[in-house]
Amino acid sequence: MHRTPRPGLRGPAALLAAAALLGGVLLPGATAEAAPRSDGRLTDLVNPFIGTQNEGNTYPGASVPFGMVQLSPDTGHNTGYDYGENHIRGFSSVHLSGVGCGLGGDLPTLPTTGDVTETDYAKYAAEFSHEDEKASPGYYRVGLKTGIEAELTATERTGVQRYTFPATDKANVLLNAGQSLHRTLSSDVEILDNRTVRTAITGSGFCQDTKAYTVYTITRFDRPFTTSGTWNGDTVTDAKKSKATDARNGAWLRFDTTKDRTVEATTALSYVDAKGAALNLRAEGGHSFDHVLRDAEHTWEDRLEGVKAQGGSDELRRTFYSSLYRSFLAPNVGSDVDGRYTGWDQKKHTAKGFTYYQNWSLWDTYRTQAQLLSLLAPRESRDMAISVLRIDAESGWLPKWGYGTVETNIMTGDPVTPFLTNAYQQGLLKGYEEEAYRALKKNADGVPPTDSAPVGREANDQYLKDGFAPYIKDRPHAKPGDSDFDHGASATLEYALADGMLAEMARDLGHKADAARYEARAQNYRKIFDPSTGFFRARDAAGAFTGPADPAESEGFHEGTSWQYQWMVPQDIPGMVDLIGGKDAANQRLDSFFAYDKLLADPAKTAREVWVNGPYAYYNADKYNPQNEPDLIAPYTYLSTGQPWKTTDVVHAALTLFTNGPTGMTGNDDLGTMSAWMVLSSIGVFPVQPGTDTWGLSTPAFERVDIKLDRRYYPHGALTVSAPGTSDADRYIQSARLDRATQSRTYLTTDDIRSARSLSFTVGDEPSAWGTSPEDAPPALD
């Protein structure tokens, strides 16, 4: 998704630093680690610091799966925590894992000692060392150089902090309501009594100013303050209330820790109102820090135990379970314990029979994370899909990139269609099929009016008329966010992909005329194919090809080049292959794209030095970019060109980019997108046609993976994927079996997964004829 570059270590230098992490053990100087425990649980393998440097933009703090609260330290990076920084400005309650622009960071809270004189958290920030810092799922701890120890844990809607102060009568806790990672428009602070503080924070932002949202908080301490007050701007007073507009604002609370040195605080959030925050606090607060921590750890252990991997190196196991952990961090609960939530119409609604979720990085997650959650968390995935339908019902249009209660319009194309058609194909929309179809049809055939926040398919009028979205350089933006006209070529490919997926759903539901219409539109990718270059290329409003002819320098593609978008036609890979000259020509182009000869000689070096050129190096490249979304599916194209063993070669090389250290993430994680890619590719089952029920196969990285499945959706309740003896040398599939039946196809359907108990591979050290027949390839959509 959209990122904001920052100076610092990047590219090959950063990745070589990551390569110093051997066997899951960090070399001297790299001190981030998972908090040690002795019980051998899967949570021991998770390292929340992975991705906190080199623009992975993850956070190391405390949360529970899909929780409303993500309590984590902010060090000055625009998205929260950067491992290269050494001062903490506060522990704030809202973070999104792997986003590329400043977002969240509401209510940074910091313990201090002495008189309160500074109100800017950049000035009162506390120094710390990574040598005195630990994290694990649901827990974070740091020793500040002020002599204070801070510990964090969380429930679904609350964050709990425990501070251990030195012996002093001036131990303070600063609640900063006026500063965050985005723009804070206004804040309201009120000290209710000698244990409780309430705030309302209205913010806007995420790559640009957007419609405002408000988050309400209430913080309850485990013992009384000795004194307290507020600040407004630079002025610190003993007043109990303070309001500010676009200015610093907060509360300070003082404790006497000369005898009892610990202070605990629980902060509850609500996106509805102060009553909602109080209800959430009453329902989930009132427990000791240790009690909440035990519950959070058990919750995470139960979630991770849904996938049990055997074999593989210690490094692989650590990166695998760390990726699995990050895959469960979003979307996030948006409704309060009473079911109320704020809809995109900014009105209060009540979720009946489901949990309402928010935070939708759909351009990213529709490709990997949505499918992983449909396997491992189908009940939550169903509620997530229903939540997206509520956005349409309440605001009039489906979302593109939603944060909290508002649309940001970040990224382009039509990502909500494959997201929802995936939910339909995985059986998650029973009872909602026609409602979903109506919303998708409106979205696919129309354009939101100018007085509505979403841009939807902004270029749809031209696309429906001419078969392509035009690239119009420097066209004024009618609404905040990204514009499909700025990226007409890639928008065309995204629209056509979505049309193909919607055609499948329309056909299943008996809408035959619609199905035929969308099926025809799914072929619109052909409209931007330039025979003179042999690549996709942007067209202007008059229909002429425009921009550089060199596909590595092409304009009109969002965060990528024509080389990288070449393979993003999952609805019709055979048709795309024919366009570029057949399978031999396609394989030659794929081999060049992946630098395949170099890859065979040294996979890890090729991944780090040929493929990767910095976390934001999207343009002017003719090679695979495993750090970004447009070509995440590309390695699986070989399944359709008769050379499936090369898929395994490329996938296993890309897996070396995930390492057990701060730089061990391939670019922004984008709410679990990259992490889910790692998990699925390690298991050997990947969604090659996002928005359908097709799963491509490659050699698993583990000898055995036991996946626990929900019996409501998968009758057997489990699937075992095995590849005895798999290794760097023996990585080629010789044969496969689905239960007792020979599996010659290079793909499964969701029905296959529902009906089977096991998928087993025989592997060897040389490519075989497995999966090479034309009928073995994933089919084009009908």
Side-chain angles (χ1 to χ4, degrees):
M1 57 152 288
H2 192 85
R3 285 95 161 174
T4 302
R6 297 177 69 249
L9 186 65
R10 58 177 57 187
L15 289 161
L16 288 174
L21 306 169
L22 302 175
V25 178
L26 292 160
L27 297 179
T31 55
E33 59 179 305
R37 288 193 290 270
S38 60
D39 52 13
R41 294 183 291 181
L42 294 177
T43 44
D44 291 334
L45 299 175
V46 174
N47 181 357
F49 290 102
I50 292 174
T52 58
Q53 193 171 11
N54 203 34
E55 305 303 329
N57 293 348
T58 57
Y59 61 85
S63 64
V64 296
F66 312 121
M68 181 184 290
V69 170
Q70 309 87 32
L71 186 57
S72 190
D74 297 328
T75 62
H77 188 278
N78 68 315
T79 65
Y81 183 94
D82 186 333
Y83 192 79
E85 306 284 348
N86 66 352
H87 282 75
I88 290 175
R89 298 180 174 188
F91 305 103
S92 62
S93 297
V94 179
H95 297 84
L96 294 186
S97 183
V99 297
C101 297
L103 190 63
D106 299 289
L107 199 67
T109 302
L110 191 72
T112 69
T113 57
D115 294 328
V116 178
T117 58
E118 292 287 355
T119 63
D120 183 347
Y121 64 4
K123 294 181 179 179
Y124 66 66
E127 187 177 0
F128 74 105
S129 167
H130 296 305
E131 295 177 356
D132 198 10
E133 181 186 40
K134 296 184 185 299
S136 61
Y139 179 71
Y140 174 86
R141 180 213 160 271
V142 65
L144 303 176
K145 292 196 174 180
T146 53
I148 303 168
E149 177 187 65
E151 297 173 276
L152 316 177
T153 189
T155 70
E156 198 166 71
R157 297 174 179 86
T158 76
V160 185
Q161 306 188 43
R162 178 166 65 191
Y163 308 124
T164 303
F165 288 93
T168 177
D169 61 357
K170 290 185 177 181
N172 312 307
V173 177
L174 309 182
L175 300 182
N176 189 333
Q179 293 180 290
S180 63
L181 298 174
H182 51 75
R183 182 184 176 194
T184 300
L185 300 175
S186 64
S187 59
D188 191 340
V189 179
E190 182 176 6
I191 300 173
L192 299 179
D193 55 40
N194 64 359
R195 291 192 183 195
T196 314
V197 181
R198 183 170 65 196
T199 74
I201 302 168
T202 299
S204 175
F206 188 34
C207 304
Q208 80 287 308
D209 284 340
T210 60
K211 191 173 182 179
Y213 74 94
T214 300
V215 60
Y216 302 86
T217 82
I218 186 165
T219 302
R220 178 77 172 171
F221 289 82
D222 68 334
R223 60 183 172 117
F225 330 134
T226 57
T227 187
S228 62
T230 57
W231 72 81
N232 196 307
D234 292 323
T235 304
V236 180
T237 72
D238 60 1
K240 304 307 178 186
K241 295 183 180 182
S242 180
K243 293 184 177 182
T245 299
D246 210 8
R248 296 192 299 277
N249 193 27
W252 59 272
L253 307 318
R254 178 160 293 166
F255 301 86
D256 186 338
T257 59
T258 53
K259 294 182 179 179
D260 182 357
R261 294 176 55 201
T262 64
V263 174
E264 295 186 10
T266 301
T267 298
L269 302 189
S270 171
Y271 287 84
V272 180
D273 53 24
K275 173 188 172 183
L279 289 172
N280 293 339
L281 180 66
R282 186 181 308 159
E284 298 183 15
H287 302 291
S288 70
F289 183 93
D290 289 330
H291 177 101
V292 175
L293 175 58
R294 284 193 300 270
D295 284 350
E297 290 176 332
H298 291 156
T299 298
W300 275 115
E301 189 66 24
D302 288 345
R303 185 66 69 172
L304 296 179
E305 282 183 345
V307 184
K308 291 190 175 180
Q310 299 177 30
S313 68
D314 185 60
E315 172 88 346
L316 176 63
R317 288 174 56 77
R318 288 182 181 277
T319 56
F320 178 81
Y321 279 105
S322 297
S323 295
L324 184 61
Y325 159 76
R326 288 189 299 272
S327 299
F328 292 127
L329 292 176
N332 305 104
V333 170
S335 51
D336 294 334
V337 292
D338 61 356
R340 293 185 308 145
Y341 64 91
T342 296
W344 283 27
D345 57 0
Q346 305 309 307
K347 296 178 182 178
K348 298 174 185 179
H349 303 274
T350 300
K352 297 180 180 179
F354 73 102
T355 297
Y356 181 80
Y357 287 87
Q358 58 193 24
N359 300 333
W360 304 104
S361 183
L362 294 174
W363 188 81
D364 310 285
T365 58
Y366 88 79
R367 307 163 199 261
T368 58
Q369 193 236 16
Q371 292 83 355
L372 181 63
L373 295 187
S374 73
L375 282 178
L376 303 182
R379 299 188 190 193
E380 292 90 342
S381 294
R382 174 177 167 84
D383 285 358
M384 291 169 189
I386 294 171
S387 299
V388 168
L389 295 180
R390 296 315 301 158
I391 291 173
D392 174 77
E394 292 153 8
S395 71
W397 291 90
L398 289 167
K400 180 168 286 188
W401 210 121
Y403 174 59
T405 64
V406 300
E407 173 66 86
T408 71
N409 291 320
I410 291 300
M411 308 314 296
T412 49
D414 180 14
V416 71
T417 292
F419 172 82
L420 281 175
T421 61
N422 170 72
Y424 166 74
Q425 297 288 355
Q426 309 303 334
L428 304 178
L429 285 179
K430 290 183 178 179
Y432 290 86
E433 295 95 338
E434 289 296 339
E435 178 182 346
Y437 181 73
R438 288 193 300 272
L440 288 167
K441 180 178 178 179
K442 177 177 62 178
N443 176 75
D445 292 344
V447 179
T450 55
D451 60 353
S452 66
V455 295
R457 285 195 182 196
E458 185 182 16
N460 220 17
D461 288 342
Q462 294 86 340
Y463 174 81
L464 297 181
K465 175 178 176 289
D466 300 321
F468 63 89
Y471 168 51
I472 306 176
K473 192 173 184 178
D474 299 324
R475 180 180 183 271
H477 286 206
K479 301 177 183 181
D482 292 311
S483 170
D484 289 345
F485 291 106
D486 287 342
H487 312 282
S490 57
T492 299
L493 295 174
E494 299 267 12
Y495 288 6
L497 182 158
D499 285 336
M501 304 313 162
L502 187 53
E504 292 286 292
M505 183 177 181
R507 186 178 298 107
D508 286 352
L509 294 176
H511 302 291
K512 295 181 180 180
D514 285 351
R517 185 162 53 88
Y518 294 131
E519 183 179 342
R521 279 163 45 176
Q523 294 294 308
N524 280 341
Y525 71 90
R526 297 173 180 270
K527 298 288 181 66
I528 63 165
F529 183 77
D530 183 354
S532 70
T533 65
F535 284 87
F536 296 129
R537 194 174 174 194
R539 298 177 69 171
D540 63 22
F545 288 111
T546 185
D550 184 345
E553 299 179 3
S554 50
E555 295 181 7
F557 293 86
H558 204 172
E559 295 188 0
T561 68
S562 184
W563 266 100
Q564 292 156 353
Y565 273 93
Q566 177 72 73
W567 321 106
M568 208 190 75
V569 191
Q571 73 274 21
D572 187 20
I573 291 294
M576 181 273 293
V577 168
D578 287 344
L579 269 185
I580 61 177
K583 289 184 179 180
D584 288 344
N587 282 324
Q588 290 175 19
R589 190 173 290 185
L590 284 164
D591 289 351
S592 174
F593 183 61
F594 293 115
Y596 186 71
D597 290 342
K598 292 181 179 179
L599 181 152
L600 284 182
D602 193 331
K605 183 178 181 181
T606 301
R608 287 172 169 77
E609 298 183 7
V610 179
W611 293 350
V612 173
N613 296 286
Y616 298 108
Y618 304 140
Y619 299 101
N620 304 319
D622 63 354
K623 293 295 182 285
Y624 176 47
N625 182 0
Q627 297 176 288
N628 204 27
E629 283 73 15
D631 52 359
L632 288 182
I633 307 171
Y636 295 88
T637 308
Y638 283 118
L639 302 182
S640 297
T641 62
Q643 297 184 336
W645 66 89
K646 291 184 178 179
T647 288
T648 290
D649 288 333
V650 174
V651 166
H652 284 215
L655 288 173
T656 67
L657 294 170
F658 294 84
T659 60
N660 184 37
T663 59
M665 170 63 61
T666 60
N668 295 170
D669 196 27
D670 291 330
L671 275 68
T673 299
M674 297 300 176
S675 292
W677 186 96
M678 192 276 175
V679 170
L680 289 161
S681 293
S682 297
I683 293 171
V685 179
F686 188 87
V688 293
Q689 292 175 327
T692 72
D693 63 347
T694 305
W695 305 81
L697 303 179
S698 64
T699 305
F702 295 101
E703 290 196 292
R704 175 173 175 146
V705 179
D706 292 296
I707 305 170
K708 185 187 301 182
L709 300 173
D710 189 324
R711 290 184 182 275
R712 290 176 54 184
Y713 299 91
Y714 303 94
H716 294 310
L719 177 70
T720 296
V721 181
S722 60
T726 186
S727 67
D728 289 343
D730 294 326
R731 65 177 184 268
Y732 298 111
I733 298 172
Q734 308 297 302
S735 63
R737 300 186 73 85
L738 190 65
D739 287 343
R740 297 182 180 181
T742 298
Q743 171 70 25
S744 61
R745 299 180 310 176
T746 60
Y747 67 97
L748 299 177
T749 67
T750 298
D751 282 344
D752 291 331
I753 294 173
R754 289 195 183 105
S755 64
R757 298 177 186 272
S758 67
L759 171 66
S760 57
F761 297 96
T762 301
V763 296
D765 61 359
E766 293 287 343
S768 73
W770 178 83
T772 57
S773 297
E775 59 269 21
D776 295 334
L781 302 187
D782 295 330

